[in-house]
Amino acid sequence: MMRWIHFDLKKIKERILEFLAVRKLKKKMKGPILCFVGPPGVGKTSLGKSIARAMGRKFVRISLGGIRDEADIRGHRRTYVGAMPGRIIQGLKQAGSNNPIFMLDEIDKLGADFRGDPASALLEVLDPEQNNTFRDHYLNLPFDLSNVMFVATANLMDTVPAALRDRMEVIQLAGYSQEEKLEIAKRFILAKQIDENGLKAEELEITEQAVSRIVKEYTQEAGLRNLERHVAAICRKVARKIAGTDAKPTKIVVNGVSIPKYLGPPRFLAEEEREHDEIGVATGLAWTQFGGEILNIEVTMMKKAGGGLILTGSLGDVMKESAHAALSYARSRAGTFGIEEKVFSRYEIHVHVPQGARYGNNLIVDGEPHPQRCRDDWRSHAARKNSSHRWAQGENSGRAPTRDQDHHRALPQPQGSR
């Protein structure tokens, strides 16, 4: 069944088949705990629904993004007004089954504050050796979760605590290549959008060349959401054209040439492939979540006493270190390369990577999410959040934090401020 619903994804399909094979040989077994990790739009959530459909189980999904209260997982004690069970027990009650496919969506976006740490509460839920006696505060009785198959999703694993990460089997979902996007569009997206916009297959045809041009020139993503939006935009324009006339509609064919008429000028242009070598320009290749990129690295030299190295293009730490290492290697082998030693002390070298600053996301370094920057951003966000909670509890002498204090810079308050 999953072969027809999802294209490719061989590793995940093999893992599900392994689980079914073991289940056939042993009826009583502990449910696996999978974690799908990948960029947005690659189908992590829809994959969980397909697993439930293929296994004939109920499907339950809860979103963990922004949850800060431990009681959302363990529930409230019945002595409190408005007490209710945790979201795990509520989900099982909603499904009406004790062995559903239970999806924990966006597990990497859990929060934490003075009310507790939900990630720590999930340690018991996602541990096969402990979750057979999971105790919800509202029920105050042990509940067996060993029959539940938990499936978690995340964009990055760097913000997930190590203890929680250790309890899950991580399966990486890489972004789709252009060929895979084209095949998925032909099999699923085109028919879906034509039907959702009130059209019929005999009224609209989007050719393979048109889809290929949308993928290359109008989308630049790891997933498929923007591709689906652009196809939907074409379908809406065609539906408006058909609805605006009383005549019998004729079949409209959208090919690669007519795409700008529906979607406007191309948003992304492929890097020009240089046919001849040029002095000061080196060609490199880069891996990104949405495919490969050609990098034209430009270098120039300027007179400056003492020399030096300038790197521009919003490069990541790895590429900066590589540039410094290359300069050190060139200096150590200057004689072999026929370079005079005085060149390094008289000239400043400027290296520029034009594509390095194109993506506009401060968490993308060298074309992929950078773990250290993600961790620093998450810690900074947590520090600001904890600071606001301390102020709410009266730990800042009754004064609201200034904008500079919110960025961890303590400034003196003006005289007479309150």
Side-chain angles (χ1 to χ4, degrees), residues 116-128:
D117 185 5
S120 300
L122 281 175
L123 295 178
E124 181 184 5
V125 176
L126 299 181
D127 192 339

Side-chain angles (χ1 to χ4, degrees), residues 13-307:
K13 293 176 182 178
E14 289 178 0
R15 183 64 183 87
I16 301 304
L17 290 176
E18 292 170 359
F19 172 78
L20 294 176
V22 174
R23 187 63 182 266
K24 183 178 180 180
L25 299 176
K26 185 177 181 181
K27 299 299 180 182
K28 182 65 176 178
M29 61 172 292
K30 298 173 182 176
I33 297 161
L34 307 179
C35 182
F36 300 148
V37 180
V42 297
K44 300 184 292 294
T45 304
S46 62
L47 188 60
K49 296 179 182 178
S50 300
I51 293 174
R53 194 180 300 115
M55 298 176 62
R57 292 193 184 189
K58 298 289 184 66
F59 177 77
V60 183
R61 172 189 168 273
I62 63 172
S63 178
L64 300 178
I67 289 182
R68 303 185 184 91
D69 194 350
E70 179 188 353
D72 282 320
I73 306 299
R74 294 188 183 275
H76 304 82
R77 300 187 187 277
R78 280 179 285 182
T79 55
Y80 294 111
V81 177
M84 62 179 63
R87 301 183 70 174
I88 303 295
I89 299 299
Q90 288 184 36
L92 297 178
K93 180 182 178 182
Q94 175 188 352
S97 170
N98 70 341
N99 65 342
I101 304 297
F102 205 114
M103 172 157 285
L104 304 172
D105 217 358
E106 309 291 356
I107 198 171
D108 58 328
K109 297 174 180 61
L110 281 169
D113 60 14
F114 62 93
R115 291 172 291 185
D117 185 5
S120 300
L122 281 175
L123 295 178
E124 181 184 5
V125 176
L126 299 181
D127 192 339
E129 301 298 330
Q130 301 180 31
N131 63 8
N132 59 341
T133 58
F134 172 72
R135 187 177 291 270
D136 187 279
H137 289 161
Y138 186 84
L139 298 180
N140 202 25
L141 291 171
F143 190 92
D144 189 2
L145 296 177
S146 60
N147 295 324
V148 180
M149 180 176 179
F150 287 100
V151 178
T153 68
N155 297 128
L156 295 170
M157 291 301 291
D158 300 285
T159 57
V160 179
L164 186 59
R165 193 185 317 145
D166 182 63
R167 285 162 166 77
M168 299 183 292
E169 180 181 344
V170 178
I171 300 178
Q172 295 284 345
L173 276 74
Y176 296 109
S177 64
Q178 292 184 359
E179 292 75 15
E180 291 172 337
K181 291 180 181 179
L182 181 61
E183 191 66 29
I184 293 172
K186 289 163 54 180
R187 293 191 185 187
F188 307 104
I189 296 178
L190 294 181
K192 174 186 175 183
Q193 289 302 324
I194 288 175
D195 179 68
E196 288 187 356
N197 288 278
L199 300 173
K200 299 179 181 177
E202 56 269 17
E203 294 176 343
L204 173 63
E205 178 186 353
I206 302 178
T207 64
E208 183 175 331
Q209 291 75 17
V211 177
S212 179
R213 186 171 184 182
I214 294 174
V215 170
K216 293 178 181 179
E217 299 182 2
Y218 292 86
T219 66
Q220 198 168 70
E221 58 176 348
L224 300 165
R225 287 175 181 162
N226 283 330
L227 173 60
E228 192 166 357
R229 291 189 188 105
H230 288 308
V231 173
I234 294 175
C235 293
R236 289 194 302 269
K237 295 182 184 300
V238 172
R240 179 184 175 184
K241 183 177 181 180
I242 293 176
T245 179
D246 296 331
K248 184 178 180 180
T250 58
K251 188 173 186 179
I252 298 176
V253 179
V254 179
N255 53 31
V257 178
S258 61
I259 285 295
K261 183 176 71 173
Y262 293 94
L263 300 179
R267 296 183 57 192
F268 306 100
L269 297 177
E271 183 67 27
E272 179 184 356
E273 298 182 8
R274 301 174 186 261
E275 298 180 357
H276 306 286
D277 292 336
E278 297 183 23
I279 297 177
V281 179
T283 303
L285 298 176
W287 176 91
T288 68
Q289 289 184 336
F290 40 82
E293 285 288 337
I294 297 176
L295 302 177
N296 289 320
I297 304 172
E298 304 169 357
V299 182
T300 188
M301 298 175 62
M302 304 159 289
K303 286 187 176 181
K304 181 183 178 181

